[in-house]
Amino acid sequence: MEIILKFELNYDKQKQLVDWYEYISEIKMEDAINDDSNAIIIATMHKSKGKEFDHVYLLLEDYDFTKTESKRVVYVACSRAKISLQIHCNSSFFDEFNTDRLSVIKFEGKTEQPKHFELILGHKDINLGDQKYSKTLIRVEALKSGEKLKYGSVQFKNNIAIGLDKHDGGNVLLFSNNFMTKKYKTFVKDGYQLSNGSVEYLVYWYDSKDDKEYKVVLPKLKFDKKITLMK
């Protein structure tokens, strides 16, 4: 709550979503932590520098221990713990540590990808330029938070763009190239397909070139794991 109040003070005239994203990316961890709070703090190892916590859980999946700088960052993260430290790692790096203060629990089971997952998109994940079209603006204006959306596509001269449509027809957003390249194609490669979406947020985007605000949709997407039938 204190972070939000500080944001409102810094941006007292006009508050844009892009300003909020920039603000939270630049704040320091000490600005976000109340020492008297029992809250769970989630942060990167770099942002944890200079702070201490009673209990630290360190997640190091596929971490690169070959570089000196990478090892230094892990040391900084480990030294943040005052009482206990739990490291979840799929590397053998810590196996060489010989101390009676370290206990190792090896997971021998089998992990599986979830059958489905949900993802809320940000402004960088959608094609903001598409939101300027008059028909899109009319459809977006009629939307309500929580409204269900369906998979949709738009045929252009040289390509087909993927996005979300209203259930009664009509595109309301297209995914950005950045989202398609870095996220969507990775999900498809892992065997997931976009099943549906919904309106999570309706926000205003300020286009500095047009000096104008546009109402845009930030959706929640649901991806389902495709079922492989065995012969």
Side-chain angles (χ1 to χ4, degrees), residues 154-215:
V154 176
Q155 176 69 59
F156 291 101
K157 184 177 180 180
N158 298 319
N159 69 299
I160 298 176
I162 297 174
L164 293 174
D165 291 355
K166 296 182 65 175
H167 267 280
D168 58 359
N171 177 262
V172 294
L173 69 91
L174 296 175
F175 302 137
S176 68
N177 290 330
N178 181 69
F179 173 77
M180 292 297 297
T181 303
K182 295 184 177 181
K183 297 179 182 179
Y184 187 89
K185 291 183 178 179
T186 301
F187 302 153
V188 173
K189 185 179 179 181
D190 286 341
Y192 289 95
Q193 61 184 4
L194 176 61
S195 58
N196 59 66
S198 61
V199 179
E200 187 70 14
Y201 300 110
L202 290 166
V203 298
Y204 284 92
W205 161 58
Y206 174 70
D207 186 356
S208 57
K209 293 182 179 180
D210 295 349
D211 190 25
K212 187 177 179 181
E213 287 186 341
Y214 296 93
K215 193 174 185 179

Side-chain angles (χ1 to χ4, degrees), residues 113-124:
Q113 291 180 322
K115 294 181 180 179
H116 68 268
F117 68 88
E118 295 179 340
L119 177 70
I120 298 176
L121 303 192
H123 69 289
K124 292 183 179 180

Side-chain angles (χ1 to χ4, degrees), residues 121-137:
L121 303 192
H123 69 289
K124 292 183 179 180
D125 298 318
I126 64 173
N127 185 340
L128 292 172
D130 176 65
Q131 304 296 108
K132 298 181 181 181
Y133 293 112
S134 58
K135 290 184 178 180
T136 304
L137 289 171

